[in-house]
């Protein structure tokens, strides 16, 4: 089985628990003979051997506090991901946070593959500033 993992973050870049979750999830899949292909929005120089990586190179690691731009960047991520995975074989799609949900929705529609979404927190319990755009993306995911 092959899993397409849409992720915004992956070690060694800092970002709460998401980086650790992404790493451990992909490593565990690999140990179960499931080949993970991880799509990241930025160039990642230290990729572990247990996964394949696609680097979109268009969005820097999240250091930006302008959340309006972050919502716009999810649209860029979606479009770049759709183009980047055209030759990738996968059986299931996994999105690990709201920033990858839009890409997951579209890929599910195009490829007719099952979609798994993961949310370690939501719009309502984040302590950081959030935007309505985040809420709308999460709402669509859970409906």
């Amino acid at each position: 089985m092959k899993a397409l993992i849409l992720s915004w973050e992956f070690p060694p870049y800092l970002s709460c628990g998401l980086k650790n979750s992404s790493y451990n999830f992909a490593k565990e899949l690999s140990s179960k003979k499931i080949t993970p292909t991880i799509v990241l929005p930025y160039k990642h120089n230290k990729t572990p051997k247990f996964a394949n990586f696609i680097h979109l190179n268009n969005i820097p690691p999240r250091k930006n506090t302008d959340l309006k731009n972050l919502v716009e960047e999810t649209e860029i991520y979606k479009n770049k991901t759709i183009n980047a995975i055209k030759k990738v074989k996968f059986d299931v799609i996994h999105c690990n946070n709201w920033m990858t949900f839009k890409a997951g929705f579209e890929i599910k529609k195009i490829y007719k593959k099952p979609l798994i979404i993961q949310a370690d927190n939501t719009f309502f319990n984040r302590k950081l500033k959030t935007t309505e755009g985040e809420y709308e993306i999460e709402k669509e995911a859970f409906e």
Side-chain angles (χ1 to χ4, degrees):
M1 177 174 258
K2 297 175 188 271
L4 181 67
I5 301 174
L6 307 181
S7 184
W8 200 263
E9 299 165 346
F10 200 84
Y13 298 103
L14 299 175
S15 61
C16 305
L18 180 58
K19 67 180 176 87
N20 294 328
S21 173
S22 299
Y23 179 89
N24 292 329
F25 180 69
K27 188 172 183 178
E28 185 64 22
L29 287 178
S30 179
S31 76
K32 305 289 186 208
K33 307 293 187 227
I34 298 171
T35 305
T37 297
I38 301 169
V39 181
L40 293 170
Y42 53 86
K43 180 71 175 146
H44 193 291
N45 295 322
K46 297 181 179 180
T47 54
K49 295 184 188 318
F50 60 76
N52 300 316
F53 286 84
I54 297 173
H55 307 274
L56 302 178
N57 295 331
N58 66 315
I59 304 169
R62 185 178 179 190
K63 293 177 184 170
N64 184 346
T65 56
D66 182 354
L67 292 170
K68 182 174 185 276
N69 284 344
L70 189 56
V71 171
E72 292 170 4
E73 288 168 359
T74 65
E75 190 69 28
I76 295 168
Y77 177 86
K78 176 188 86 173
N79 293 330
K80 295 276 186 174
T81 299
I82 290 167
N83 287 327
I85 66 162
K86 286 182 178 175
K87 295 182 180 178
V88 176
K89 297 203 182 307
F90 58 93
D91 303 298
V92 64
I93 309 154
H94 177 266
C95 297
N96 70 4
N97 68 5
W98 74 269
M99 294 175 280
T100 63
F101 289 172
K102 288 173 108 176
F105 302 151
E106 194 64 25
I107 293 166
K108 176 184 177 181
K109 189 186 318 179
I110 293 168
Y111 291 93
K112 311 272 191 272
K113 302 286 182 175
L115 172 65
I116 300 165
I117 61 168
Q118 172 186 337
D120 59 343
N121 61 46
T122 67
F123 175 84
F124 296 104
N125 64 350
R126 275 194 275 289
K127 291 180 182 177
L128 301 171
K129 252 174 103 174
T130 57
T131 68
E132 270 311 297
E134 285 178 67
Y135 171 73
E136 293 303 320
I137 293 169
E138 289 177 350
K139 184 174 182 257
E140 182 180 354
F142 292 109
E143 289 183 332

